[in-house]
Amino acid sequence: MNIIHRRSFLKQFSIGTLGVSMFSFYPEKKGEAFIDKLLPAPVGGGFAMDDYWVWGSSVIKGTDGLYHMFADRWAKDLGFGAWVTNSEVVHAVSETPEGPYRFVGVALPKRGREFFDGLVTHNPRVILFEGVYYLYYFGTTYDFPVPVPGVKWEDDWFGRAWMNKRIGVARSESLNGPWQRMDHPVLQPRPGKWDASITTNPSPVVNPVTGKMLLMYKSSSKDWHPPLLLGVAEADHPQGEYRRLGDGPVFHFHTDQDKNNDVEDPFVWWAGDRYELIMKDRFGHICGEKGGGIHAFSPDGINWKLSDPVKAYSRYVKWQDGRVTYQANFERPFLLFEDGKPTHLFAATGTGGKQWAFEKTWNMVIPLRKE
């Protein structure tokens, strides 16, 4: 993106305040870009499984001194698109944040199509709240046969499974489980609103000042086609009850050139006096790179401003062996915090000719420069 176009776009960027008013704004005073904190990535780090597509991770250090990763997997011979019908959340561990992580077991398996999350669990985020672990995810179910290798998909299977996506929360006294799942979602779609279709991709954070949970989530008014938008809800406890903080989305990007500008995969954290987030710029009109990352901040989780420089990460990855590669995708960013500071960036990535045409996927990790 050239400088003139980017400045023009930022002037058009709008945010909804409690779904009532829309206003334009300019980025934060220029400083260091979040992307400048990224160090070269370790070769062979992260988490991969030979016979599975692996996607999306959330990592936390346990009382056992190990780093526990929760991630998605589904059988590779089903094809990558089977994430919406066959994914399950699994558990892996490592002695170091960089890994490689070792598979331990399935944390959230299938439990019957009669449950909202009975056939699929995906996109985990784990937190510790008052001495108990809570695992956020989205689940779905459907009324057609569970896809198996060699069986042709019907044209409407993807959409039927996608439209049933709902956010769930499970709890456990131990990172090794067992995980007690709720029988209902913590956040339902709202008919007639911008989030009428689904609730998915949860990004929870505890506000230590108020003690409340802030939950950012993704939805759309109709289906999986852009724009995909983000909203926020609040609760006194991880398992709810969640209250929307307004009727409208908190971000809404638009340009004359491309009405489908949108973002997804937010990771939100509390930075001592404000919320911050990094997330994917789907079309690249904000950070200048399609699928690159942007950085933003907010005093309340509702009113957000872009950082300047805005870029948080790139699909161009520097490795510790000196190589630079262009990843087919770089999704689901997650930050590991230790002693209140972000230390590592995790992301789902893949190799292949182009986006979604993967040969292999895994969760990679990038160390951050110590502050």
Side-chain angles (χ1 to χ4, degrees), residues 280-309:
K280 175 186 171 184
D281 178 2
R282 295 187 74 215
F283 294 93
H285 293 300
I286 307 163
C287 72
E289 179 186 343
K290 183 178 181 179
I294 63 174
H295 180 218
F297 63 95
S298 169
D300 54 13
I302 305 166
N303 301 290
W304 291 86
K305 291 187 176 182
L306 295 176
S307 297
D308 186 14

Side-chain angles (χ1 to χ4, degrees), residues 109-166:
K110 289 179 173 58
R111 60 170 178 162
R113 66 175 70 242
E114 68 272 19
F115 294 98
F116 80 95
D117 59 350
L119 297 181
V120 173
T121 55
H122 197 75
N123 284 356
R125 287 285 165 86
V126 63
I127 66 166
L128 178 65
F129 182 85
E130 296 181 350
V132 177
Y133 296 102
Y134 292 90
L135 185 56
Y136 290 74
Y137 60 97
F138 86 70
T140 191
T141 188
Y142 43 85
D143 58 2
F144 52 85
V146 175
V148 296
V151 173
K152 184 181 181 298
W153 274 47
E154 298 295 331
D155 291 341
D156 64 348
W157 280 8
F158 181 93
R160 286 159 66 184
W162 194 94
M163 288 297 290
N164 288 333
K165 291 163 63 176
R166 303 288 187 270

